[in-house]
């Protein structure tokens, strides 16, 4: 009998990829004893990656096979170090190489862990639940007591299709992936039952010049082929995401594929774009529709979703074209072992005599075909998953027993297919391994501080309670909801030595002006880092924050993001969106966001960030599609809302944009951290529509201080008042004194960024504060940042000239500014305030023809009733015809 230390032993049943990754993530938690149990001699390879045949390739390029969600290049880096430095991200490498990589990955986790790893070569035959522990019975006669267990066995190949006489024949290969299963085949023709990826590999392994191979399946469908040059995934439309019946889903998917082919020429992009929402859609389908999908659609889906490498397809084509491979559509009706061969009758009437029959149907979903899983089901420790696939689990992978949660048992991979459908490929398995390890450690409730995980699987060395609070804060920050800083404060109050939490507070105070003692929090973060064993990501984050706060350099934080792209807090600080701080701008921002695609895939938050980049690139259709996709997954996604608001504005869809924004503000606005900015967007639509009374009411109810505070007072409130003055939308005295009084301390004279300075300047102009504009100009003229010297200083002079009615000076300055405005940051919609000022100044200076020409350009790119009215007024006054008519 083997007994583990109380509260520390976790048994992982199955030592293939899923088991090895789960063991690695458990070892990363500091002090867990992991016992890895599998009857096979290899670890981290399993059936998929144990094949020594170099022709058996991964069916995913090297770039998509990292074992770490936050390190998308980890496998590629390993290949460069251990195999060939010239291997490309798009290369399909031998599966055996991936087995070697996983073994090294597990060994590395073991080497750096404070826990331990034991390997037992045995088969688990039964599991009992005794008290708070599970008791595992091994075929060696031993028993193992564990505080939790993870079932990572997958499901076995199904042989129910095979006639009984065939199943008992020595000429039947029930599982071609068992060691040596294909080594002693007779030198005769072979029948392969099943035409999926297993069949492809068996064909390549068994092809001989003197042998004919027959492959049969009910559908006769073989896997599709990857393109050598991958087309980026195209997110699905909302009608796919929200489909609640198979009939609706089929129609929506067909339209999505057709539209994607028209846009990209590649149907694969449509299928790949479904990956992030496949499980969500599957869960919505009624049970009857799931069964119908399995009967009628699953094989077609698998053939297109799980594709073969181009070089594998070429090798298969050679065998087919030689005539050595013949495909059949049908089923095995009878199969008789005649002593020296097997005589087979297929349902299409074909009769053949072959030396052996090889089962290539692959694993089946029914858990009852596996003896251990059958025992779990019979004993009430598990129940079958949806549509009879695998086992039913909670969201964290915990196996649900007949009466509920039951024993401390978890699973991942193929056994979760009933609840998730998409659950067998490496991106899903590596994420599930993180989730399972997190849940198991939380269950153990070990008194020592354990490694927790954030929402993207990044390590957090803290308590479970502090991590939960921090993750709520991170979720709000990603959704652009209020209260994030207060929750991080609560997290460090729960665990004063939470180094990442304190460093995050310091960073938010430094970058976004959160009410934080920046120096104090950073010092405490550094001290906590000395007292605790942080992982590499945590240490990198702490060092990057220290460098950023110390010398203002962006390089350390950007380097950290390149190493750990799933550190979403760091990425949020780096990318200028609603807050428009950021460490990057323009093309640099676009390059940064686009580089994160391999790490985030179809994540809703990332889709919102990419949508904003696309609108800034004037790729309106893509921005709209991405933002709609993000909102279909997370309706509170502030970044997606922001991107969509810009699309409506820039395309002149003011009526539709206002209606949509008002609906979102009513439903989600109260929780939004930047709701004033979304109200500014709504007011901008009203302004462009020429509804001046609506603009005034919007300002008074949603944009006026004290309802709006901080930087938004200048960026949204002050800027809107100046626009109203420039467009004649606010008759009489502007209520700008309240804005000036509510401005953040020092911002009107010493704004922190060029973007803030733009809004300080227009607010001072709205207040007719010539002295304030002159002081801001003088400060900008000697500022170390060239943006202040070259853009802000002349802008202040130009605005002062407008306020003073000196139109010659105003136009001399304002006409020279447009080419330099982009360096201020922010969006085109925000920088438009300078163009509004130029139109006003041209008209006031009597240069109506030039004002009309500028309005013509605006109407060409962005139609609006306001500009049409102003254009008509100029035409009536100057006789200049409307060039857009």
């Amino acid at each position: 009998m083997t007994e583990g230390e109380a509260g520390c032993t976790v048994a992982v049943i199955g030592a293939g990829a899923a088991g090895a990754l789960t063991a690695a993530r458990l070892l990363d938690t500091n002090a867990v004893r992991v016992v890895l149990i599998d009857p096979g001699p290899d670890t981290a390879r399993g059936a998929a990656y144990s094949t020594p045949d170099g022709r058996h390739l991964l069916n995913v390029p090297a770039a998509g096979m990292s074992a770490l969600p936050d390190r998308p290049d980890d496998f590629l880096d390993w290949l460069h170090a251990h195999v060939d430095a010239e291997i490309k991200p798009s290369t399909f490498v031998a599966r055996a190489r991936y087995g070697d990589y996983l073994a090294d990955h597990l060994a590395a986790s073991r080497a750096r862990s404070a826990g331990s790893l034991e390997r037992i070569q045995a088969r688990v035959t039964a599991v009992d639940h005794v008290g708070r522990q599970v008791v595992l019975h091994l075929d060696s006669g031993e028993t193992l007591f564990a505080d939790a267990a993870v079932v990572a066995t997958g499901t076995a190949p199904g042989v129910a299709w095979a006639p009984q006489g065939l199943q008992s024949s020595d000429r039947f290969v029930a599982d071609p992936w068992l060691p040596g299963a294909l080594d002693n085949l007779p030198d005769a023709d072979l029948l392969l039952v099943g035409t999926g990826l297993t069949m492809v590999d068996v064909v390549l392994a068994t092809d001989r010049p003197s042998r004919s191979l027959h492959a049969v399946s009910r559908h006769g469908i073989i896997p599709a082929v990857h393109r050598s040059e991958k087309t980026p995934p195209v997110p699905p439309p909302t009608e796919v995401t929200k489909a609640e019946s198979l009939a609706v889903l089929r129609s929506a998917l067909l339209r999505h594929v057709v539209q994607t082919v028209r846009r990209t020429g590649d149907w694969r992009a449509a299928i790949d774009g479904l990956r992030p929402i496949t499980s969500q859609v599957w869960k919505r389908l009624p049970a009857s529709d799931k069964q119908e999908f399995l009967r009628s659609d699953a094989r077609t889906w698998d053939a297109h979703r799980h594709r073969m490498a181009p070089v594998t397809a070429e090798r298969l084509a050679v065998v087919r074209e030689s005539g050595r491979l013949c495909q059949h559509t049908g089923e095995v009706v009878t199969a008789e072992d005649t002593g020296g061969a097997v005589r087979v009758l297929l349902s299409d009437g074909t009769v053949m005599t072959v030396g052996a029959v090889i089962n290539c149907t692959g694993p089946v979903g029914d858990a009852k075909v596996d003896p251990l899983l059958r025992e779990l089901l019979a004993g009430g420790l598990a129940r079958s998953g949806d549509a009879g696939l695998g086992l039913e689990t909670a969201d964290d992978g915990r196996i649900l027993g007949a009466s509920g949660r039951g024993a401390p048992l978890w699973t991942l991979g193929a056994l979760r297919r009933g609840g998730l459908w998409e659950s067998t490929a490496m991106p899903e398995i590596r994420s599930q391994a993180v989730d399972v390890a997190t849940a198991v450690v939380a269950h153990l409730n070990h008194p020592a501080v354990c490694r927790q995980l954030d929402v993207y699987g990044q390590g957090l060395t803290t308590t479970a309670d502090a991590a939960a609070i921090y993750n709520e804060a991170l979720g709000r920050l990603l959704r652009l909801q209020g209260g994030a800083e207060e929750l991080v404060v609560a997290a460090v109050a729960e665990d004063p030595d939470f180094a990442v939490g304190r460093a995050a507070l310091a960073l938010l105070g430094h970058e976004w002006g959160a009410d934080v003692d920046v120096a104090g929090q950073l010092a405490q973060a550094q001290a906590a880092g000395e007292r605790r064993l942080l992982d590499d990501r945590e240490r990198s984050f702490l060092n990057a924050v220290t460098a950023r706060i110390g010398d203002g350099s962006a390089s350390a934080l950007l380097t950290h993001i390149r190493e750990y792209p799933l550190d979403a807090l760091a990425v949020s600080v780096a990318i200028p969106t609603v807050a428009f701080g950021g460490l990057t701008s323009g093309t640099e921002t676009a390059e940064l966001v686009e580089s994160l695609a391999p790490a985030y895939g179809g994540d809703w938050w990332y889709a919102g960030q990419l949508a904003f980049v696309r609108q800034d690139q004037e790729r309106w259709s893509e921005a709209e599609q991405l933002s709609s996709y993000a909102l279909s997954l997370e309706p509170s996604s502030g970044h997606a809302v922001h991107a969509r608001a810009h699309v409506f504005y820039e395309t002149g869809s003011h009526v539709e944009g206002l209606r949509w924004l008002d609906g979102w503000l009513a439903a989600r606005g109260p929780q939004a951290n930047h709701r004033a900015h979304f109200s500014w967007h709504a007011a901008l639509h009203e302004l462009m529509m020429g509804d001046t009374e609506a603009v005034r009411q919007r300002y008074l109810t949603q944009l006026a201080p004290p309802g709006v505070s901080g930087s938004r007072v200048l960026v949204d409130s002050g800027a809107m008042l100046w626009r109203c003055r420039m467009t004649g939308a606010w008759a009489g005295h502007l209520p700008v004194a309240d804005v000036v009084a509510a401005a953040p301390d020092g911002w009107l004279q010493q704004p922190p960024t060029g973007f803030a300075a733009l809004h300080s300047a227009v607010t001072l102009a709205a207040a007719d504060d010539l002295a304030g504009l002159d002081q801001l100009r003088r400060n900008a003229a000697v500022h170390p940042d060239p943006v202040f010297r070259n853009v802000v200083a002349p802008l202040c002079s130009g605005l002062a000239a407008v306020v003073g009615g000196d139109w010659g000076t105003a136009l001399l300055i304002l006409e020279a500014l447009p080419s330099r405005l982009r360096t201020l940051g922010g969006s085109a919609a925000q920088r438009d305030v300078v163009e509004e000022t130029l139109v006003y100044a041209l008209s006031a200076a009597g240069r109506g023809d030039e004002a009309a020409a500028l309005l013509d350009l605006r109407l060409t790119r962005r139609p609006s009733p306001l500009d049409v009215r102003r254009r008509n007024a100029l035409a009536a006054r100057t006789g200049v015809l409307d060039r857009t008519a």
Side-chain angles (χ1 to χ4, degrees):
M1 178 178 290
T2 303
E3 283 203 50
E5 299 167 29
C8 290
T9 299
V10 181
V12 178
I13 306 169
L21 287 180
T22 304
R25 300 291 76 79
L26 285 165
L27 289 168
D28 289 343
T29 63
N30 285 344
V32 176
R33 174 189 177 223
V34 179
V35 182
L36 192 57
I37 310 167
D38 193 287
D42 295 325
T43 297
R45 289 171 175 82
Y49 309 119
S50 60
T51 172
D53 194 327
R55 293 166 297 184
H56 291 163
L57 306 181
L58 295 172
N59 64 329
V60 175
M65 291 296 289
S66 171
L68 293 166
D70 62 328
R71 302 285 292 272
D73 293 332
D74 192 65
F75 179 46
L76 193 61
D77 291 342
W78 182 90
L79 287 170
H80 290 164
H82 294 85
V83 181
D84 185 348
E86 300 302 316
I87 289 177
K88 298 178 181 179
S90 58
T91 301
F92 293 82
V93 301
R95 294 214 299 272
R97 293 296 190 188
Y98 194 69
D100 296 339
Y101 161 69
L102 289 179
D104 281 0
H105 179 78
L106 177 58
S109 289
R110 179 180 190 175
R112 63 175 176 260
S113 177
S116 65
L117 176 66
E118 298 173 32
R119 176 69 161 86
I120 297 177
Q121 190 172 342
R123 185 181 303 278
V124 178
T125 58
V127 177
D128 291 326
H129 183 203
V130 180
R132 288 179 56 84
Q133 291 189 305
V134 289
V135 183
L136 280 64
H137 302 274
L138 311 182
D139 62 0
S140 62
E142 290 187 289
T143 56
L144 173 72
F145 287 80
D147 299 278
V150 179
V151 182
T153 58
T155 56
V159 295
W161 59 267
Q164 191 60 44
L166 179 61
Q167 291 186 34
S168 59
S169 171
D170 291 340
R171 294 181 176 274
F172 178 53
V173 180
D175 185 350
W177 298 124
L178 289 177
L182 302 179
D183 291 350
N184 298 308
L185 293 172
D187 187 15
D189 296 348
L190 304 174
L191 172 63
L192 283 52
V193 180
T195 56
L197 290 169
T198 299
M199 178 276 292
V200 174
D201 285 334
V202 172
V203 166
L204 298 184
T206 60
D207 176 44
R208 305 286 187 275
S210 59
R211 172 182 285 163
S212 291
L213 301 172
H214 298 269
V216 62
S217 68
R218 289 184 297 114
H219 301 283
I221 302 173
I222 66 170
V225 185
H226 283 283
R227 266 190 173 181
S228 298
E229 295 297 325
K230 183 178 179 181
T231 306
V234 175
T238 303
E239 61 179 338
V240 173
T241 309
K242 300 296 185 183
E244 295 186 353
S245 74
L246 185 58
V248 171
L249 180 61
R250 283 170 173 157
S251 299
L253 279 178
L254 179 59
R255 285 191 293 271
H256 174 51
V257 171
V258 169
Q259 291 167 3
T260 300
V261 170
R262 287 173 180 165
R263 287 178 51 198
T264 70
D266 186 5
W267 57 264
R268 298 163 186 81
I271 300 299
D272 294 344
L274 298 171
R275 185 170 203 152
I277 56 95
T278 302
S279 295
Q280 175 183 322
V281 173
W282 173 258
K283 290 177 181 178
R284 281 202 175 98
L285 292 180
S288 59
D289 279 4
K290 290 176 181 177
Q291 293 288 358
E292 173 62 21
F293 176 84
L294 293 178
R295 287 191 297 269
S296 305
D297 305 271
R299 186 66 194 97
T300 301
W301 166 263
D302 285 342
H304 289 83
R305 172 67 187 83
H306 302 288
R307 305 186 284 273
M308 55 180 155
V311 65
T312 299
E314 291 170 6
R315 291 168 176 166
L316 182 67
V318 169
V319 181
R320 294 174 69 183
E321 291 165 6
S322 71
R324 296 194 299 274
L325 173 62
C326 179
Q327 282 184 247
H328 305 269
T329 300
E331 299 177 79
V332 174
V333 177
T334 63
E336 178 186 1
D337 188 338
T338 62
V342 180
R343 181 177 173 81
V344 180
L345 170 65
L346 301 182
S347 58
D348 66 354
T350 300
V351 177
M352 67 180 72
T353 300
V354 294
V357 178
I358 303 174
N359 180 23
C360 298
T361 58
V364 296
D366 188 353
K368 291 190 290 294
V369 303
D370 181 277
L372 173 60
L373 302 180
R374 192 161 57 243
E375 285 288 327
L376 292 177
L377 291 166
L381 294 182
R383 59 193 189 214
S384 295
D386 287 355
L389 298 175
L391 304 177
E392 187 174 355
T393 71
D395 289 342
D396 63 0
R398 188 161 183 172
I399 296 172
L400 299 178
S403 59
R405 186 165 287 246
L409 292 170
W410 281 259
T411 192
L412 71 164
L415 288 175
R416 295 193 64 189
R417 207 174 183 205
L420 303 175
W421 178 254
E422 189 74 43
S423 189
T424 59
M426 187 49 57
E428 285 71 40
I429 291 175
R430 68 190 178 202
S431 295
Q432 290 174 24
V434 170
D435 294 342
V436 166
T438 303
V440 168
V441 170
H443 167 78
L444 294 178
N445 196 24
H446 195 273
V449 172
C450 291
R451 186 69 42 81
Q452 307 296 324
L453 298 170
D454 74 9
V455 295
Y456 285 112
Q458 310 302 285
L460 298 172
T461 304
T462 186
T463 66
D465 287 343
I469 299 169
Y470 179 84
N471 278 328
E472 172 61 24
L474 185 55
R476 291 195 191 185
L477 185 147
L478 298 180
R479 293 189 296 270
L480 292 181
Q481 292 178 323
E485 294 92 342
E486 292 83 355
L487 282 168
V488 182
V489 169
V492 300
E494 198 284 330
D495 176 15
D497 277 348
F498 183 12
V500 165
R502 291 199 179 277
L505 275 178
L507 186 63
L508 295 177
H510 183 268
E511 299 297 324
W512 292 347
D515 186 14
V516 171
D517 177 3
V518 173
Q521 290 293 344
L522 181 58
Q524 291 186 70
Q526 293 166 334
E530 293 299 320
R531 289 190 290 270
R532 284 198 177 150
L533 181 63
L534 305 183
D535 68 16
D536 292 343
R537 197 279 310 185
E538 293 174 293
R539 182 67 59 191
S540 174
F541 178 70
L542 180 55
N543 291 340
V545 172
T546 299
R548 174 64 177 167
I549 293 173
D551 61 14
S553 170
S555 60
L557 206 53
L558 292 174
T559 298
H560 169 77
I561 291 168
R562 283 194 294 273
E563 288 292 319
Y564 302 98
L566 285 175
D567 194 334
L569 175 62
V571 175
S572 294
V573 168
I575 298 173
T577 49
V578 178
F580 290 113
L583 311 181
T584 60
S585 62
T587 57
E588 187 181 12
T589 298
E591 290 169 0
L592 172 60
V593 174
E594 289 164 351
S595 74
L596 299 173
Y600 287 94
D603 175 72
W604 64 265
W605 173 72
Y606 176 71
Q609 296 282 15
L610 185 59
F612 198 82
V613 167
R614 292 292 179 253
Q615 70 79 28
D616 196 49
Q617 296 170 330
E618 300 184 5
R619 293 159 67 172
W620 314 123
S621 178
E622 292 176 62
E624 165 64 15
Q625 186 176 32
L626 284 163
S627 59
S628 296
Y629 165 73
L631 288 165
S632 73
L633 298 179
E634 176 47 76
S636 295
S637 173
H639 293 292
V641 172
H642 192 209
R644 197 167 196 224
H646 275 278
V647 171
F648 281 129
Y649 174 71
E650 297 294 351
T651 58
S653 303
H654 301 298
V655 174
E656 182 183 2
L658 177 61
R659 181 168 54 248
W660 180 79
L661 263 177
D662 271 339
W664 188 88
L665 281 167
R668 308 280 176 174
Q671 292 80 40
N673 195 34
H674 297 281
R675 57 185 173 274
H677 188 61
F678 299 131
S679 293
W680 175 86
H681 271 282
L684 196 58
H685 282 308
E686 290 165 338
L687 183 64
M688 292 298 103
M689 291 162 60
D691 192 345
T692 57
E693 181 56 31
V695 175
R696 290 168 64 98
Q697 287 303 311
R698 176 88 58 179
Y699 179 87
L700 294 172
T701 57
Q702 297 180 19
L703 289 169
V708 178
S709 59
S711 61
R712 304 250 70 98
V713 166
L714 300 179
V715 174
D716 299 322
S717 309
M720 181 53 65
L721 288 177
W722 180 248
R723 277 185 196 256
C724 287
R725 180 168 170 178
M726 292 297 94
T727 57
W730 197 298
H733 176 71
L734 291 173
V736 72
D738 291 341
V739 174
V740 172
D745 290 344
W747 275 41
L748 290 173
Q749 302 306 323
Q750 298 283 358
T753 65
F755 175 75
L758 162 66
H759 292 89
S760 295
V762 297
T763 300
L764 290 168
D768 293 329
D769 189 349
L770 293 174
L773 277 169
D774 186 58
Q775 183 62 55
L776 178 57
R777 179 195 61 78
R778 285 188 280 115
N779 291 341
V782 296
H783 199 283
D785 186 344
V787 172
F788 278 82
R789 299 194 303 271
N790 300 332
V791 184
V792 176
L795 175 62
C796 290
S797 297
L799 290 172
V802 170
V803 171
D806 182 357
W807 306 118
T809 301
L811 291 172
L812 182 67
I813 296 170
L814 294 176
E815 287 181 312
L817 281 178
S819 62
R820 287 178 268 167
L821 289 176
R822 196 174 183 89
T823 60
L824 290 170
S827 67
Q830 289 168 310
R831 296 189 298 269
D832 270 355
V833 71
V834 178
E835 190 174 71
E836 295 285 11
T837 307
L838 180 57
V839 171
Y840 177 85
L842 285 168
S843 181
R847 292 163 58 178
D849 55 342
E850 294 173 67
L854 186 53
L855 287 171
D856 285 341
L857 288 174
R858 285 164 61 97
L859 287 166
T860 299
R861 70 175 189 268
R862 184 198 312 121
S864 72
L866 172 69
D867 284 350
V868 169
R869 190 179 68 225
R870 288 194 290 178
R871 182 63 182 77
N872 290 340
L874 283 169
R877 197 172 77 197
T878 65
V880 179
L881 295 177
D882 184 351
R883 300 174 195 176
T884 65

